[in-house]
Amino acid sequence: MKHYESLAGGSGRSVYYRARRLRAAEVFSSELAVARLDGRPVQIENLSMSGIALIDGDANADWSERAGDSVPVEITLGGETAFSSPGLICRVEEAARGQLVGIRFVDDFLDMAALIRRHEQLLLKFDLDRPADVELEAVPGAYRTLCADVIHLLRRQKALLARFRVRANGHAPIPPEDMEDAYRACEAGLLRDWKTLWQRGEDIVGAFAHDSVQVRAIKRFTEQVLTPEFMDGPIWQRSFEKPLGYPGDFKIMRMVYAWAREGKDPYGQLLHRLGLEVAECIATRMVLVQQSIAETIRRRAKAGEVARIASLGCGPAKEVQNILQASRLDGAAAFTLIDQEEEALAHAYEEAMPNLARLGGQASVNCLHLSFRQLLSGRAVAEALGPQDMIYAVGLVDYFRERQAQRLIAGLYGHVEPGGLLMIGNMADSALSNYWPMEFIADWNVIYRSREEMQRLAADCAGAEVTVRPDRTGRVWMLQLRRPDAA
Ligand SMILES: C[S@@+](CC[C@H](N)C(=O)[O-])C[C@H]1O[C@@H](n2cnc3c(N)ncnc32)[C@H](O)[C@@H]1O
């Protein structure tokens, strides 16, 4: 129990109370809600009593010069005006789906409870008035068949396992090794057939990827029909529910790296295994980073120097843990791990500690609880990072549109020493990409890039030696920028 005198308030910016902010999906589970900013259609990102964050997905939209302007904000529900007030633009940022505009209401407030209630009333009426097959019309027949085939495959494996458990149980309990053999056989069959269905999913949704109305309809259908079936698999459930409020948190990364049998029963474990199959490229890209870290340490050791290595959006920093676990290091290394998630940093630090102690000062780990924005905008922070022999960000740029990714990469490249390396990982738009399972089943949105688009991310890094290579699965690109040695 804590004593009154030791209870602390906030610190820094957190001393200022901010009204509770809800993500749009928590408030509006449908597309009945439509927002307009200065008359332009925009998407709602999140909202609170005192403000709203809106995304303008029009590639030509540019709100960056409008900070401080008062603009009309309108929310309609099924065509009925539910809120209308001027608001002050207080921030403009690049986000994966467009430009994010933060608005503060000055003379009015959003009555969230009333808004939610009205939305639910209208939604019920809307859903009841509309025959179910109207929704289905927008979903291609081939896709509906695919979903039936996926469910058939999953339930077939489930039934096979259940039948084995019952039938093989003659007069004595089934020996664990028999159950294990049966599980493994089901797993192998499932993985084989899943690959075919995954490819079919990619082929069907790939054809509609640029039609946002069609994508929304297919997503809605998938979330009603397929997603619930996958929720027994822990990696699918966490990916879909996003308990920390954003996709791809460090606990999901840990699931991939652990590659363990997780799930409350054999069926859940099979589903988890399918999720790992999809997420395999997270592990393979990590190995590429680990190899480059080892190479950087050896390179600097030859010059008798400590290798300075920084990871932005480090998550659990598994590649660093793997390097530190080796019985000996080929040189000395100082790691800087940066993430906006304090829990991720705590995990990474605590994992590293025993090995740092064993290595007796040959390696160090410094954690910075920062967003990339703070890192690139604050001079003091930039100085704290200092020049680096290797910087990498994997699983971060995938969330940024091209312009913002280019700025981030140029900012990071500015911290790379001559001879040093900047490594950027991004999901690839390959023939069998993660697009269908991640975007449609798990509602995990990232930007899938072509090799040419990866190359373009280095546009603002004059003089860099740029290479783009795929990971072993072909589902991730690694963009590498080497700063030439000083002449
Ligand atoms: C998909 S995970 C990748 C983690 C790690 N690089 C890996 O591959 O295992 C993305 C990480 O980026 C972090 N992140 C997201 N937005 C960030 C931001 N604005 N600034 C810093 N880190 C961020 C998340 O907290 C998360 O740990």
Side-chain angles (χ1 to χ4, degrees):
M1 190 190 69
K2 289 179 183 170
H3 291 285
Y4 270 25
E5 66 268 25
S6 62
L7 293 178
S11 62
R13 288 181 63 80
S14 71
V15 296
Y16 300 103
Y17 174 76
R18 292 179 67 199
R20 203 159 67 93
R21 195 161 276 273
L22 296 177
R23 288 191 299 139
E26 294 174 79
V27 181
F28 308 119
S29 54
S30 75
E31 281 138 33
L32 284 186
V34 172
R36 292 190 171 272
L37 180 61
D38 210 4
R40 294 171 61 83
V42 285
Q43 296 163 43
I44 305 174
E45 176 70 5
N46 59 54
L47 59 174
S48 74
M49 284 179 86
S50 55
I52 190 164
L54 300 164
I55 292 194
D56 191 335
D58 182 342
N60 298 317
D62 189 4
W63 292 90
S64 55
E65 303 293 320
R66 307 265 322 256
D69 285 4
S70 174
V71 282
V73 179
E74 188 190 26
I75 300 175
T76 56
L77 295 175
E80 152 187 324
T81 300
F83 177 80
S84 172
S85 167
L88 208 63
I89 299 184
C90 43
R91 70 190 167 105
V92 178
E93 291 171 9
E94 293 297 325
R97 287 177 294 133
Q99 237 176 7
L100 184 144
V101 186
I103 305 282
R104 186 157 53 81
F105 302 123
V106 183
D107 299 320
D108 206 346
F109 73 99
L110 252 177
D111 185 341
M112 303 277 278
L115 203 62
I116 291 171
R117 201 171 123 243
R118 188 65 191 138
H119 172 258
E120 292 305 322
Q121 284 170 342
L122 290 170
L123 183 58
L124 185 64
K125 186 169 171 346
F126 179 78
D127 281 342
L128 292 176
D129 285 352
R130 194 175 46 154
D133 57 1
V134 172
E135 271 181 25
L136 291 183
E137 274 168 19
V139 182
Y143 190 76
R144 286 194 248 162
T145 307
L146 169 75
C147 291
D149 291 355
V150 171
I151 291 193
H152 171 255
L153 170 67
L154 296 176
R155 298 215 181 144
R156 177 174 177 269
Q157 291 328 78
K158 186 181 188 175
L160 290 178
L161 265 183
R163 191 183 66 192
F164 184 81
R165 189 193 289 274
V166 173
R167 294 272 178 86
N169 183 5
H171 295 293
I174 306 170
E177 59 274 21
D178 285 13
M179 212 45 230
E180 176 64 19
D181 285 349
Y183 177 87
R184 284 193 179 282
C186 282
E187 185 186 83
L190 182 63
L191 288 173
R192 180 200 59 219
D193 294 344
W194 165 250
K195 266 278 165 66
T196 315
L197 294 171
W198 177 0
Q199 185 67 67
R200 269 172 61 194
E202 286 293 303
D203 293 344
I204 297 173
V205 298
F208 298 107
H210 299 293
D211 181 340
S212 61
V213 174
Q214 188 91 55
V215 164
R216 261 207 309 278
I218 298 176
K219 264 188 87 151
R220 194 172 43 227
F221 178 79
T222 314
E223 288 183 9
Q224 281 167 355
V225 174
L226 272 194
T227 304
E229 189 71 23
F230 283 78
M231 288 299 101
D232 280 350
I235 192 165
W236 294 103
Q237 189 189 19
R238 193 171 179 93
S239 300
F240 183 72
E241 292 181 352
K242 306 172 188 59
L244 295 185
Y246 57 88
D249 67 40
F250 76 103
K251 290 195 179 170
I252 293 179
M253 301 295 121
R254 288 187 62 201
M255 285 179 179
V256 180
Y257 301 136
W259 206 268
R261 200 177 284 178
E262 288 188 47
K264 65 177 176 359
D265 55 24
Y267 186 56
Q269 292 160 8
L270 283 177
L271 289 166
H272 183 72
R273 179 64 184 83
L274 283 192
L276 292 180
E277 194 67 12
V278 173
E280 185 191 7
C281 54
I282 292 175
T284 51
R285 75 184 182 193
M286 181 274 290
V287 172
L288 291 181
V289 174
Q290 185 183 325
Q291 287 165 349
S292 289
I293 293 176
E295 190 270 326
T296 302
I297 294 175
R298 282 195 294 273
R299 188 173 63 80
R300 295 310 286 151
K302 276 192 200 144
E305 299 283 351
V306 177
R308 289 153 304 171
I309 297 165
S311 170
L312 178 58
C314 64
K318 180 65 177 168
E319 60 290 342
V320 175
Q321 313 299 351
N322 287 351
I323 291 278
L324 296 177
Q325 260 159 25
S327 53
R328 63 179 196 86
L329 284 185
D330 290 338
F335 292 99
T336 304
L337 305 180
I338 306 162
D339 206 289
Q340 57 79 35
E341 179 59 70
E342 202 168 6
E343 258 194 87
L345 295 173
H347 166 81
Y349 191 75
E350 284 161 20
E351 279 277 292
M353 251 323 174
N355 286 312
L356 292 175
R358 180 177 57 77
L359 291 165
Q362 207 185 351
S364 64
V365 168
N366 178 29
C367 292
L368 298 178
H369 181 207
L370 292 172
S371 78
F372 76 91
R373 205 174 296 280
Q374 289 167 292
L375 181 75
L376 296 183
S377 59
R379 273 223 357 242
V381 175
E383 278 164 19
L385 178 63
Q388 299 289 313
D389 299 301
M390 175 176 169
I391 302 182
Y392 60 95
V394 289
L396 186 68
V397 165
D398 315 51
Y399 297 83
F400 303 149
R401 290 200 301 176
E402 185 162 297
R403 229 165 352 129
Q404 187 181 22
Q406 285 170 336
R407 278 192 217 129
L408 172 64
I409 288 168
L412 293 177
Y413 187 66
H415 285 276
V416 174
E417 280 281 84
L421 180 69
L422 173 60
M423 249 179 132
I424 304 290
N426 197 112
M427 289 285 173
D429 69 351
S430 47
L432 182 70
S433 80
N434 279 24
Y435 180 54
W436 174 62
M438 274 176 64
E439 176 80 33
F440 290 80
I441 303 178
D443 186 33
W444 182 345
N445 329 122
V446 302
I447 297 174
Y448 296 82
R449 293 192 153 99
S450 66
R451 184 187 277 271
E452 294 67 37
E453 285 168 329
M454 289 303 290
Q455 202 91 31
R456 282 213 301 271
L457 296 185
D460 297 342
C461 304
E465 294 156 10
V466 179
T467 53
V468 178
R469 60 175 173 142
D471 77 325
R472 186 171 55 70
T473 67
R475 304 205 299 272
V476 162
W477 292 119
M478 276 295 177
L479 169 68
Q480 305 206 138
L481 296 93
R482 174 84 60 188
R483 186 182 281 281
D485 270 318

